[in-house]
Amino acid sequence: MVRTLPNVSEQAARFTLVREAHKTEATEDYVELIDDLISVNGEARLVDIASRMGVTQPTASKTLARLQRDGYVNSEPYRSIFLTQMGKDLADESRFKHEVVFQFLLTIGVSKEAAKRDSEGMEHHVSDETLKAFKKIIRKHQAR
Amino acid sequence: MVRTLPNVSEQAARFTLVREAHKTEATEDYVELIDDLISVNGEARLVDIASRMGVTQPTASKTLARLQRDGYVNSEPYRSIFLTQMGKDLADESRFKHEVVFQFLLTIGVSKEAAKRDSEGMEHHVSDETLKAFKKIIRKHQAR
DNA sequence: TTTATAATTTAGCCTTGGCTTAGTTTATAC
DNA sequence: GTATAAACTAAGCCAAGGCTAAATTATAAA
C-alpha cells in the first residue's frame, strides 16, 4: 500500500522522461527494421516495412517522410529506403538494446514468445544502468 | 548481427501489441496517481495531478475528461476527482505491476533512482509471464 | 462582504500516427 | 510493347495528447 508520495518535481521529471522515450520509439523501431531488411533482402521496400510494422502503406509512408525530414533515412520517390549514418547508428544502438533485453528475459526463464513480445516494448525504457545489470546476469548465466 | 527476419505476421502482431499498450499507458499512470493522491491527501485535485504528471492543467483536464468518458473517474466541474470501481481496480493492478518491476530492478542491483525511472516506463510492457519471473527472483533474493 | 488569488475550464492550435479512398508510377506477364 | 497488377503517393479524416491564452468559478484574505 502506497502511503507516501514522491517528490513532485522528481515524479514529474520521470513522467516527462517516459513521454520523451515514446516520441523516439517509432523512429527506433523503423530504423531497426529497415536495417534488418537491408541486410537480409538487400533493400528495404515500403511494402515490407508496412506489413512488418503491422500498419497500412500510407501510414508507413508518412512515418518514413518524417524520418527523412529528421535525417534518419533517404529515399527517392517510388524507390527503396536507405539509412543515413545517423539512422544506421540509431539502428545499431537500438538492436543492441533489444537483443540484450531479449536475451535477459530468456536467461531468467521467460519463454521465447513472451521474451520477443516484451522486449519489443521494454527496450525503449531501459537505461544504460539497467542494461548493464541485465548484461551482467546474462554473462553470469553463460559462465555456468 | 541479425541475418534473418522473423515471421511477418508474428512481427506485425508484436508491434501492434506494443501500440495497444501505449494507448492504455496514460490511463494507467493517471489512475495510479489519483489513487495515491486520494490515499495520502484525502482527495485528488487537478492542480496536483498536473504538476505530478509534469503537464499543464489544461492537458491534465482534457485527459481526465477522456478518463471520465471511458468510465475510470468521476467528477463534478471544479471539484476533485474520484475513481470509479473500474478505475480503482486498474489503479491497483497498475501499482502492483509497478511495484514488482521496481523491486525487481533493485534486486538485480540497479540504483533506486534508475529503478524509479525505468520501472515507470517498463511497467506497461511487462507480461504476466515476465512479471512472474520477476517475482520469483525477488522471492529468491529475499530468502537469502 | 467585497476583492484578490488560485483553481479549473474553454477554445483553439499543433504534431504524431492511425485509417480509407483515389490516383500515379513502376514492374510484370503475356 | 501493351495490359494488368503491384507498389507507392496524395488527400483528407480522426483521436490522443501536448501547448498557450482567456474566461469562469471557487476560495481565502482584508
Side-chain angles (χ1 to χ4, degrees):
Chain A
M1 209 115 33
V2 175
R3 297 295 99 128
T4 64
L5 287 163
N7 174 281
V8 177
S9 60
E10 284 171 16
Q11 186 172 25
R14 285 194 292 270
F15 280 121
T16 302
L17 202 75
V18 174
R19 282 197 299 273
E20 267 155 25
H22 279 163
K23 283 196 273 188
T24 63
E25 278 191 36
T27 302
E28 289 170 15
D29 289 338
Y30 271 77
V31 295
E32 195 181 334
L33 174 58
I34 290 165
D35 197 35
D36 288 346
L37 284 167
I38 290 171
S39 70
V40 173
N41 293 349
E43 63 175 352
R45 305 294 307 261
L46 176 68
V47 64
D48 296 320
I49 295 170
S51 64
R52 287 186 176 275
M53 289 303 304
V55 299
T56 60
Q57 286 179 219
T59 294
S61 183
K62 201 199 276 190
T63 301
L64 288 167
R66 183 172 55 76
L67 295 205
Q68 180 149 14
R69 182 200 68 193
D70 295 347
Y72 295 100
V73 306
N74 276 138
S75 78
E76 303 288 308
Y78 295 95
R79 288 278 121 79
S80 67
I81 287 96
F82 300 92
L83 291 174
T84 62
Q85 189 56 50
M86 195 168 110
K88 176 67 177 148
D89 291 346
L90 184 62
D92 288 343
E93 189 193 321
S94 187
R95 185 185 307 96
F96 177 71
K97 270 198 187 182
H98 196 160
E99 186 61 20
V100 171
V101 174
F102 175 64
Q103 288 299 333
F104 172 75
L105 291 175
L106 291 183
T107 299
I108 64 168
V110 173
S111 73
K112 201 167 161 184
E113 285 320 301
K116 275 188 198 171
R117 273 187 275 113
D118 290 7
S119 63
E120 198 66 73
M122 285 170 66
E123 64 163 316
H124 307 288
H125 300 280
V126 164
S127 65
D128 285 349
E129 192 187 326
T130 295
L131 210 66
K132 226 179 250 180
F134 282 8
K135 278 192 274 184
K136 197 170 161 188
I137 289 169
I138 296 170
R139 230 182 301 120
K140 215 184 290 178
H141 188 262
Q142 283 172 338
R144 289 188 312 160
Chain B
M1 211 117 30
V2 174
R3 296 298 98 127
T4 63
L5 286 164
N7 174 282
V8 177
S9 61
E10 284 171 15
Q11 186 171 26
R14 284 194 292 271
F15 280 121
T16 301
L17 203 75
V18 174
R19 283 196 299 272
E20 266 156 26
H22 278 162
K23 283 196 273 189
T24 63
E25 278 192 36
T27 302
E28 289 171 14
D29 289 339
Y30 271 76
V31 295
E32 196 180 334
L33 174 58
I34 290 165
D35 198 35
D36 288 346
L37 284 168
I38 290 172
S39 71
V40 173
N41 292 349
E43 62 174 353
R45 306 293 307 261
L46 176 68
V47 64
D48 296 318
I49 296 169
S51 64
R52 286 185 177 275
M53 289 301 305
V55 299
T56 61
Q57 288 179 216
T59 295
S61 183
K62 201 199 275 190
T63 301
L64 288 167
R66 184 172 56 74
L67 296 205
Q68 180 149 16
R69 181 200 69 193
D70 294 347
Y72 294 99
V73 307
N74 277 138
S75 78
E76 303 288 308
Y78 294 98
R79 287 279 123 80
S80 67
I81 287 96
F82 300 92
L83 292 173
T84 62
Q85 189 57 51
M86 195 169 111
K88 176 66 177 150
D89 291 347
L90 184 62
D92 288 342
E93 189 193 322
S94 188
R95 186 185 307 98
F96 177 71
K97 269 197 186 181
H98 195 161
E99 186 61 20
V100 170
V101 174
F102 176 65
Q103 288 298 333
F104 172 75
L105 291 175
L106 291 183
T107 298
I108 64 166
V110 173
S111 73
K112 201 167 163 184
E113 284 321 300
K116 275 187 198 172
R117 272 188 274 111
D118 291 7
S119 62
E120 198 66 72
M122 285 170 66
E123 63 162 318
H124 307 288
H125 300 279
V126 164
S127 63
D128 284 350
E129 192 186 327
T130 295
L131 210 65
K132 226 179 250 179
F134 282 8
K135 277 191 275 185
K136 196 170 163 189
I137 288 169
I138 296 169
R139 229 181 302 120
K140 214 185 290 177
H141 188 262
Q142 283 172 337
R144 289 189 314 162

